[in-house]
Amino acid sequence: MPSLFRNFYLKTSMARTLNLHLKIWRQPGPDAGGWFQEIEASEIPETASFLEMLDIVNQKLISVSGDPVVFDHDCREGICGTCGMVINGVPHGPQRGTTTCQLHMRTFNDGDTIWIEPFRAKAFPIIKDLMVNRSGFDRIMAAGGFISVRTGAAQDANALPISKEAADSSMDAAECIGCGACVASCKNASAMLFTAAKAGQFNMLPQGQPEKHRRVLGMVKTMDEAGFGNCTNQYECEAACPKRIGVRWISKLNRDYTLAVVHDTLLAPVGKGGGEG
Amino acid sequence: MSTIMLDAKIPAGPLAQKWTRHKQESKLINPANKRKFTVLVVGSGLAGASAAATLSELGYKVKCFCYQDSARRAHSIAAQGGINAAKNYQNDGDSVHRLFYDTIKGGDFRAREANVYRLAEVSSAIIDQCVAQGVPLAREYGGLLANRSFGGSQVSRTFYARGQTGQQLLLGAYSALSKEIARGNVQMFPRTEMLELVVVEGHAKGIVVRDMVSGEVTVHAADAVLLATGGYGNVFYLSTNAKGCNTTAIWRAHKKGALFANPCYTQIHPTCIPVSGDYQSKLTLMSESLRNDGRVWVPKKKEDCGKHPSEIPEDARDYYLERKYPSYGNLAPRDISSRSAKEACDEGRGVGPGGLGVYLDFADAIERYGKDRAGGRELPQAELQRLGKEVVAEKYGNLFEMYEQITGESGYERPMRIYPAVHYTMGGLWVDYNLMSNLPGLFVLGEANFSDHGANRLGASALMQGLADGYFVIPTTIAPYLATQKPGSVTTGHGAFREAAEAVNVRTKKMLDIRGKRSVDSFHRELGLLMWDECGMARSDEGLRRALARLPELREEFWNNVTVPGSGTDVNQELEKAGRLADFLEFGELMCIDALHREESCGGHFRVEHQYTKDDEAKKLGQAGEARRNDEAFTYVAAWEYTGDIARSILHKEPLQFEEAHLAVRSYV
């Protein structure tokens, strides 16, 4: 029975293919040394995604050495933020506003050499090969990346009008997928863009105002404790962000932070009750 | 001999009062006692995260597990289009009853009425909750929330956040979860996979998990276990699910006694990007919201299929959805739209590689919006086009971008090509009105259960169900069960934990020891192809029997010839995949058994033997080629019991009684 699907398998795979020289970072564990493994990837269809190219490579590695490359990935549609590797020195590779899973091989040329490394940062310890531990982001979120509202305590959604501009702007920040490319691109391994986007989403909205100061103080403190570096305004993060989150959020965080410090020290100490000033 | 008695525990009284009365009559647990109970939540998507956060707020001790590296990454995040709620903010005649009826009808009258009504009833509170959490849903200039319309409904009741509604709602639930983690009341276990359910004296009392970094296998005891582990779409290998989505948790629970309901109900989503090659690892969906403005067509004549779409004149195009379903047009429900696309391609009128695609065209929308923006001004055509594209970009910009990234083509310049793909699975573990399975103490939420969508889910209803279950249903319905339990009565010292952990270790070792010749992926692709061919968009007696003959062979080959490199004491992604695939290989058989037994067509389950004919159409029974239900014989939930041999699974029937909804032919003409 020639089914649709089978037809498809017969009729496709006519796309242009590439032969590539890969140099992939291999590291057995967090404390082990690492090296670049050289792999020849041949006949890679240009319509394949970057991760599908690695799938093809891994299928070969499994049969040859039994040691496939470990890398994080899940949704493969650019939204979960699980995947991420440094490709030719750039987090998520050469195409702006694109996650690794959405990068397609047509971006490369036949005969290219491609260097593939993990996101490197002190606060992102390598687990194995290209897989890193980004739990620092979760700790930053637990330090204030929320609005404390209990389920069931909410008023009618339209009881609080919010200007379209504020909502849209909040959404710009909320689009962050938490992949960590901002950290990987920064020479200081700073998490300012991530933290700024997360705090900014809430701080733009009226619902976010009551906890604004404690949110900012808590998230920044945790960011520092997690081992992320300082921001020195090089804007590499904005260039690397697959969701094009702008550095204006960092400006806003800095402003909100100053205000929070003033409130905390002079007007209404955070965590000690008192008014909102 | 089976002793299971299915009792859906539907509260008495009129439909509209059942939930209110149930809440009033349910047992409560006082705040001082709540903290003595531990609840395990497996999965951190919309259902899992909202349940974990809310139960923790109430005072229960919660442990939450997910296979992702962070709770924020569960696949709910990929839902694009929106979430339904019966707010009637648009004043277009919406109501709880209408949302209820659309959902029941959309599910082709194969869902449980009381559950669906409750879903519609709590839908409004979900929107309130999310907005209070700071979810930036789309707004109008006046500051009020915006809505869009969606397939299968004639009102505008869908709330959205650009094309990333699932992301925003999940981040909302994750923020609530983070708040409870910070409070120390939820313990989070990322990169942790559940591999076994522990049952003690008939009650679910714990789980066995594997740490996916260290390989360590540990056991966790609790007073109740909640599974919110999503659907089983990856049985088809290619689907819109994330790569890690799997059926292991619910399948393991099934093998420990939980009934699996309606496994054959799967949803094929009409608007996905067509497959481009045999290396393809997943399919990408584009929100159904695109059908608000895009027009679906194929050439009328086969000969035109190879032409550039701009060379095909208007009168040579077949806008088949508008032709066949004039009142719903391009917004016909998913199953109907998908099947229509398949029919067009089967007739040889498909476009793109392999003839497996139909056009989704925005040219008219661009022109219409351009004129709207011009506001009566006479502008040059190029300027009108620019204005029109601006509006389309505002509404769907990210989807157009995604399409271009994947295909290398611009949807503004030429029609997009789309094709149906496996998307959502309506079946799942059987649960009663309280979301409890037939195993006391085992609750199942979200896509992992079977309860609310019948044989087909309407767009923008999955997010609604996940959050309804987690935020509003389970916090009420878990208490009556816990009230019958002595908190902490079962500990990991019980022999059942040691046995379950040992079973996990034995299985892992067995997979590692095979050292065969075929990779896990190659088996998974073969399984996927088989399931798509024989148990996909159209199913036949003959095809299903072919699949049922092949599946045990494939399983046999897997257990003798798969190669799983590496060890069990380290990160081993091949081992993870192998374990999941082993469960899919078993589950696929139950799916085919269910599809074979259901001798009717309903919603996403289309049996070629059961469709309306031209004669039926003449008699005004139904449109030729549409799904023909058999209400007399099949108005029931098929809940399957595991017996040790899948081929001998025992069928239990929960009859569906309709008090409010009138069983009708599902017409969208």
Side-chain angles (χ1 to χ4, degrees), chain B residues 645-666:
Chain B
D645 176 3
I646 302 161
R648 290 166 195 273
S649 298
I650 297 171
L651 174 64
H652 299 267
K653 297 178 184 176
E654 179 201 333
L656 291 167
Q657 272 134 17
F658 293 92
E659 294 167 23
E660 284 282 323
H662 172 63
L663 277 172
V665 175
R666 190 163 151 257

Side-chain angles (χ1 to χ4, degrees), chain B residues 171-182:
Chain B
L171 292 179
Y174 162 73
S175 75
L177 183 61
S178 297
K179 163 174 73 70
E180 294 305 302
I181 291 171

Side-chain angles (χ1 to χ4, degrees), chain B residues 38 134 160 186 217 261 303 339 348 373 455 474 476 503 516 523 587-589 599 624:
Chain B
T38 301
Y160 62 99
V186 175
V217 171
E303 303 83 76
R339 238 172 3 251
R373 275 276 158 106
I474 196 71
T476 299
F523 278 106
F587 167 74
E589 187 173 346
E599 287 273 1

Side-chain angles (χ1 to χ4, degrees), chain A residues 84-134:
Chain A
M85 44 194 84
V86 175
I87 300 163
N88 287 338
V90 182
H92 291 306
Q95 196 166 307
R96 289 290 287 272
T98 306
T99 55
T100 303
C101 62
Q102 294 294 76
L103 180 67
H104 280 68
M105 296 314 292
R106 70 176 75 86
T107 315
F108 297 90
N109 296 310
D110 191 32
D112 277 0
T113 298
I114 307 177
W115 295 80
I116 306 170
E117 297 168 77
F119 281 0
R120 294 184 195 276
K122 187 177 127 201
F124 287 170
I126 291 174
I127 295 172
K128 190 174 182 180
D129 296 342
L130 306 173
M131 180 185 273
V132 300
N133 179 349
R134 291 168 288 192

Side-chain angles (χ1 to χ4, degrees), chain A residues 25-36 120 126-129:
Chain A
W25 185 258
R26 305 302 305 264
Q27 183 173 331
D31 303 319
W35 69 93
F36 282 102
R120 294 184 195 276
I126 291 174
I127 295 172
K128 190 174 182 180
D129 296 342

